[in-house]
Amino acid sequence: MATGGGRSPGSSGHRSAFGNPPPSGERCAVERRSDLSYSEFVQHYAFSRPVVLQGLTDNSRFRALCSRDRLLASFGESVVRLSTANTYSYRKVDLPFREYVEHLLHPQDPTALGNDTLYFFGDNNFSEWASLFQHYSPPPFSLLGTTAAYSFGVAGAGSGVPFHWHGPGFSEVIYGRKRWFLYPPGKTPEFHPNRTTLAWLQDVYPALAPSARPLECTVRTGEVLYFPDRWWHATLNLDPSVFISTFLS
């Protein structure tokens, strides 16, 4: 997470803050589009495959408000609800946002289990954080019969959530880089629900046959990934990161 308007502490440009970038950290097999119309989105992506959107909205103001210093100044004493970084996120812990940033926002320990890893994503108090969210411009696309809901997150390098699925949505990286691993609905990934994504990447991913590997992409600052309904996905933050998802439900 950047301080003031600068880079994330502990990182150097696009170098991972927990050491060298994971293998193929910048790989992307998902199409990137900067000129996508709504009709093209519905026809080619909305119900069939992910896509990375570029330049469709300008969230530079929102990004400035999401620097470490500004978030701590505005919300440092606010109590946030953390979830465990496993597939089902059973355990919840409430603590001040400042305590999370200053004491828990560290690189992921690859040996830690998901239920021992706390992660700030979702469970946002929307009335308390409304002064921030009002500056966010979501992707300009929607799906008939759905309602958009935001989920905001701040996380350390190497953190993420293991494979799970839900309805369609968009995920924008505000600071940092987020590596995505995706499988279509009919292809269940090989994973343990209480192992972190980092552990899966180190222990399971290298042994996967090429035909069993996921569709993957590293989404960079300012980019938005769209994932269709019921697509399995896991995420890995390559840097200290700030991100926001727009779920369509």
Side-chain angles (χ1 to χ4, degrees):
M1 184 165 56
T3 56
R7 291 186 300 192
S8 304
S11 67
S12 177
H14 275 182
R15 187 163 157 250
S16 169
F18 55 91
N20 294 323
S24 306
E26 292 292 347
R27 176 181 299 168
C28 188
V30 178
E31 189 176 1
R32 283 185 161 96
R33 293 292 303 269
S34 59
D35 56 350
L36 192 64
S37 68
Y38 179 68
S39 60
E40 287 179 296
F41 169 71
V42 171
Q43 183 177 357
H44 297 295
Y45 304 102
F47 306 103
S48 58
R49 57 191 169 119
V51 62
V52 175
L53 308 176
Q54 297 176 312
L56 295 185
T57 56
D58 179 7
N59 276 308
S60 54
R61 170 62 176 161
F62 183 74
R63 182 169 298 107
L65 294 172
C66 288
S67 71
R68 176 189 176 105
D69 291 345
R70 290 201 177 189
L71 284 180
L72 287 176
S74 299
F75 304 104
E77 309 317 310
S78 298
V79 173
V80 296
R81 174 157 292 180
L82 309 181
S83 301
T84 51
N86 52 6
T87 295
Y88 305 110
S89 298
Y90 287 130
R91 188 164 67 96
K92 307 287 185 180
V93 174
D94 294 342
L95 81 171
F97 180 65
R98 183 180 303 278
E99 183 176 340
Y100 171 68
V101 170
E102 295 181 348
H103 300 290
L104 297 180
L105 201 65
H106 47 65
Q108 175 70 43
D109 178 355
T111 66
L113 294 176
N115 61 5
D116 294 325
T117 303
L118 294 172
Y119 192 72
F120 176 47
F121 178 57
D123 290 311
N124 307 125
N125 183 325
F126 286 94
S127 59
E128 193 167 12
W129 290 70
S131 61
L132 176 65
F133 295 153
Q134 68 180 350
H135 295 284
Y136 179 65
S137 297
F141 304 142
S142 61
L143 297 177
L144 188 65
T146 65
T147 301
Y150 294 152
S151 193
F152 179 72
V154 179
S159 63
V161 290
F163 283 103
H164 62 288
W165 60 265
H166 43 66
F170 301 91
S171 180
E172 180 166 355
V173 176
I174 305 303
Y175 280 109
R177 295 169 299 155
K178 184 183 288 286
R179 188 174 174 185
W180 285 74
F181 306 91
L182 305 110
Y183 286 95
K187 193 171 184 179
T188 302
E190 177 185 341
F191 75 103
H192 188 288
N194 198 30
R195 297 292 303 280
T196 65
T197 304
L198 183 58
W200 174 87
L201 181 64
Q202 293 181 346
D203 300 337
V204 178
Y205 179 91
L208 293 175
S211 61
R213 291 202 167 187
L215 185 68
E216 58 185 280
C217 185
T218 295
V219 180
R220 302 177 296 234
T221 295
E223 294 184 326
V224 180
L225 183 134
Y226 169 77
F227 49 88
D229 188 25
R230 295 176 181 267
W231 272 65
W232 287 94
H233 54 279
T235 60
L236 180 71
N237 297 299
L238 300 184
D239 312 295
S241 299
V242 179
F243 42 91
I244 186 167
S245 291
T246 305
F247 293 115
L248 306 175
S249 59

